[in-house]
Amino acid sequence: MSKPFYLTTAIDYANGAPHLGHAYEKVLADAIARFHRMNGETVHFLTGLDEHGQKVQQTAQKRGISPQQCCDETAELFLKLCRDLNISNDDYIRTTQPRHVKVVQELLQKLYDAGKIYKADYKGFYSIRQEQFVLEKDRLEDGSWPELFGEVIEITESNYFFRLAEHRDWLRGYIEEHPDFIFPEFRRRNVLEFLKEPISDLCISRPKERLSWGIELPFDKDFVTYVWFDALTNYYSAAVEKGCWPADIHVIGKDILVPPHAVYWPVMLHAAGIELPKKILAHGWWLSAGRKVSKTKTAADAAAPREKSALELAAEFGADAFRYFVLREMAVGQDSEYSEALYMSRYKSDLGNDLGNLVNRVLKMTGNYCGGASPVPALDEAPERELRELWEKTERQYHGLAAQLDFRGALDALWTFIRGINRYADARAPWKLAKSDAPADRAALETSLAVMAEGLRLAAVALFPVMPGTSEKIQTLLGCAPAEKFEGHQTWGRSLVGKTFGAGAILFPRPDPKKSV
């Protein structure tokens, strides 16, 4: 049996609530997973929660609860996000699970026995927010620390270090020899630029007297392992017994590409003699007026008129509309702007006018003019040939672009076809043909409805990875069982002839101006 296509997201940190960035990453990974399943592949899709660390310990102490209870509450928030957005993950790993702890300790012991981990005293600056040591070179020109580090303190303590620096040349060579390892290409160039400078060995422990909420080092019970040796290992610990490793794609945000995923993780694996993942996909940030959406609101933000968040709009207008918006709006790897106005523009225009109206008019006209059953297409004239040729072009573009992880481009191609069906309807004008008793007009009427329905069926099947609920609903309304694979369901044909259609349906209702989330 061949290895499944193995896909992961970054695991979310258990000290915060879900936001747009978390949701987008899961939807992007889910679309990739569903696309590969529709291509007939076995897929294993992992997401999960990073539960250890100082911030979790501090939050639990402030609330007067155990760290585990704190993590359990956060886990439910993220699991609910997955359910609400129809995420089809096959596994959900939590870093407090015994299966994970066991693999982390085995990996640490293996590297320690091989001389890759050593103990040393360290004096330096420590970022409480990022839970990592920082260097003088990280300071800004005015001597302050970048905002992302939060409070930085100076500490001296003994810790364990991983011999990261000795692998820098190997890593540069590997990335240069494997151009597909980091996607998109400009992110790969960023990593190579980073590796031009020397790198330091990695501090991988924290003394229990300072941090007790972590995985104990197997070779020294007075220390726990640091976040990256714990969190990054989840991809491997969740897969090793399932026969899924190596990962085919890690889907992560650009802020954790360098150094964690592009430097620490491949070197950790290489030093342990474990095969590297095949690809790391680093996506961009969602911005609002140029600022990251997940950032803490400023006083000016608070004073501005409130607009609904993307997750509020997802709750109001459904998961599929949210999934469509984020995948249509963001080019993978680039940053993208979010606003309520932009979201609603996509909802009303693309989903309501283009797709929703098409579905409703096909169902209603077939019901009114053909007794609710798809007729036989009697004609094959220029309008029909042009639409069929447009589908053949769309199919190549859509599947090719989605395979290259360009879902924005794939959806753009698919919507060109959907709009093509609407243009075909306007050209044939079946509502006018229905007023005539002439046999030629009747043939044109039945042909137009059959052709529109077939085009809609093809578009619905293609749409499944992005909008699974909408795709299945359209196919069901057209009287056919939802396709489980692309093969055999993306070729223009007559599979709908004689099928009984559902009644007219409003898939994307107009917003109620009086309704609030």
Side-chain angles (χ1 to χ4, degrees):
M1 183 176 176
S2 61
K3 183 189 85 66
F5 179 87
Y6 179 36
L7 172 77
T8 76
T9 69
I11 52 175
D12 306 306
Y13 192 41
N15 199 48
H19 56 65
L20 176 55
H22 297 122
Y24 167 71
E25 182 169 297
K26 285 173 174 52
V27 168
L28 173 60
D30 187 67
I32 297 170
R34 290 179 184 273
F35 180 78
H36 280 267
R37 291 192 193 106
M38 288 292 284
N39 277 322
E41 299 173 65
T42 301
V43 173
H44 190 75
F45 173 18
L46 174 74
T47 189
L49 195 66
D50 173 14
E51 303 195 9
H52 292 123
Q54 191 167 348
K55 286 182 282 188
V56 173
Q57 179 176 288
Q58 291 171 340
T59 298
Q61 288 171 344
K62 288 178 182 178
R63 295 181 57 197
I65 61 175
S66 70
Q68 189 62 67
Q69 182 181 343
C70 186
C71 292
D72 290 345
E73 292 174 2
T74 305
E76 182 50 42
L77 293 177
F78 282 97
L79 285 165
K80 182 178 184 301
L81 178 72
C82 290
R83 293 191 297 269
D84 290 346
L85 296 180
N86 201 2
I87 305 301
S88 63
N89 54 296
D90 300 287
D91 194 4
Y92 191 88
I93 191 164
R94 298 177 60 178
T95 56
T96 52
Q97 292 172 336
R99 59 169 174 163
H100 176 72
V101 174
K102 173 178 177 290
V103 173
V104 168
Q105 292 183 324
E106 288 174 349
L107 178 62
L108 286 165
Q109 188 68 56
K110 181 177 184 179
L111 292 171
Y112 182 76
D113 292 343
K116 300 294 184 181
I117 293 175
Y118 63 92
K119 191 176 184 181
D121 290 336
Y122 179 86
K123 179 179 180 180
F125 297 101
Y126 182 76
S127 163
I128 295 175
R129 177 182 293 173
Q130 296 297 326
E131 298 186 34
Q132 69 181 49
F133 290 98
V134 293
L135 303 175
E136 276 287 352
K137 69 176 184 179
D138 296 321
R139 287 185 186 267
L140 301 175
E141 290 183 2
D142 62 3
S144 65
W145 297 99
E147 180 189 353
L148 75 116
F149 291 144
E151 182 183 0
V152 176
I153 59 175
E154 188 171 12
I155 60 174
T156 301
E157 66 184 19
S158 291
N159 263 310
Y160 285 89
F161 291 79
F162 171 58
R163 298 186 188 277
L164 183 74
E166 66 184 38
H167 296 284
R168 180 180 68 117
D169 291 342
W170 165 81
L171 181 58
R172 286 186 63 191
Y174 184 88
I175 295 173
E176 288 171 347
E177 294 166 9
H178 296 79
D180 294 332
F181 180 55
I182 297 170
F183 179 86
E185 168 62 23
F186 76 93
R187 299 285 181 210
R188 174 177 170 269
R189 294 195 298 270
N190 291 346
V191 176
L192 289 172
E193 191 68 26
F194 176 86
L195 289 170
K196 286 182 179 180
E197 299 293 328
I199 57 177
S200 303
D201 286 346
L202 179 64
C203 182
I204 64 153
S205 70
R206 298 292 181 264
K208 281 187 178 178
E209 62 190 27
R210 182 154 68 85
L211 174 64
S212 60
W213 184 239
I215 297 175
E216 187 178 89
L217 294 185
F219 43 81
D220 193 332
K221 298 186 183 303
D222 292 329
F223 290 81
V224 297
T225 189
Y226 168 59
V227 59
W228 294 120
F229 249 85
D230 177 358
L232 289 166
T233 306
N234 91 88
Y235 308 125
Y236 182 69
S237 64
V240 62
E241 292 184 358
K242 294 182 171 68
C244 294
W245 193 260
D248 290 88
I249 302 181
H250 288 320
V251 179
I252 63 165
K254 67 176 185 178
D255 48 334
I256 54 173
L257 176 64
V258 182
H261 284 84
V263 180
Y264 301 163
W265 182 225
V267 172
M268 286 163 54
L269 292 169
H270 175 69
I274 300 171
E275 190 174 354
L276 269 60
K278 296 180 182 179
K279 186 186 294 291
I280 300 171
L281 186 166
H283 63 76
W285 288 345
W286 286 95
L287 307 175
S288 178
R291 296 177 65 247
K292 191 178 179 184
V293 168
S294 60
K295 288 283 187 184
T296 302
K297 300 294 185 183
T298 65
D301 295 328
R306 184 185 178 277
E307 67 171 24
K308 294 175 183 176
S309 72
L311 292 181
E312 287 177 314
L313 292 171
E316 184 173 354
F317 297 107
D320 275 7
F322 174 87
R323 292 169 64 103
Y324 175 80
F325 171 79
V326 295
L327 293 178
R328 181 72 187 273
E329 205 62 36
M330 179 177 276
V332 175
Q334 304 283 349
D335 294 341
S336 187
E337 280 284 327
Y338 163 78
S339 70
E340 182 180 353
L342 187 58
Y343 191 108
M344 294 313 302
S345 176
R346 287 289 187 193
Y347 179 85
K348 295 174 184 176
S349 177
D350 297 12
L351 298 181
N353 294 342
D354 295 337
L355 179 59
N357 284 346
L358 173 61
V359 172
N360 197 40
R361 72 200 305 197
V362 167
L363 297 176
K364 280 195 167 183
M365 287 191 293
T366 303
N368 291 339
Y369 308 145
C370 298
S374 182
V376 176
L379 305 179
D380 188 25
E381 298 176 341
E384 289 73 39
R385 290 194 295 271
E386 289 172 4
L387 187 61
R388 193 165 61 245
E389 289 168 2
L390 178 58
W391 168 249
E392 291 169 357
K393 177 183 177 181
T394 299
E395 183 189 13
R396 291 192 301 271
Q397 290 179 328
Y398 177 86
H399 290 275
L401 291 166
Q404 296 170 30
L405 309 176
D406 182 3
F407 285 96
R408 184 171 77 163
L411 287 170
D412 187 59
L414 187 59
W415 247 252
T416 297
F417 176 67
I418 289 169
R419 290 174 180 137
I421 302 174
N422 282 316
R423 286 196 301 274
Y424 169 83
D426 292 338
R428 279 297 191 188
W431 51 90
K432 293 181 179 178
L433 295 169
K435 298 176 182 179
S436 171
D437 294 327
D441 288 339
R442 182 65 191 181
L445 168 66
E446 294 182 353
T447 296
S448 64
L449 295 179
V451 167
M452 290 169 64
E454 177 64 4
L456 181 57
R457 180 192 69 80
L458 293 165
V461 173
L463 192 57
F464 180 79
V466 176
M467 302 178 72
T470 300
S471 169
E472 290 181 340
K473 186 169 186 178
I474 292 173
Q475 292 177 74
T476 301
L477 287 168
L478 293 176
C480 52
E484 296 181 356
K485 294 180 181 180
F486 288 130
E487 186 177 7
H489 297 277
Q490 292 282 263
T491 303
W492 194 288
R494 297 189 174 195
S495 63
L496 293 180
V497 171
K499 298 283 188 184
T500 300
F501 291 177
I506 306 298
L507 298 184
F508 306 101
R510 290 187 178 277
D512 182 351
K514 298 179 181 179
K515 184 178 179 181
S516 61
V517 176

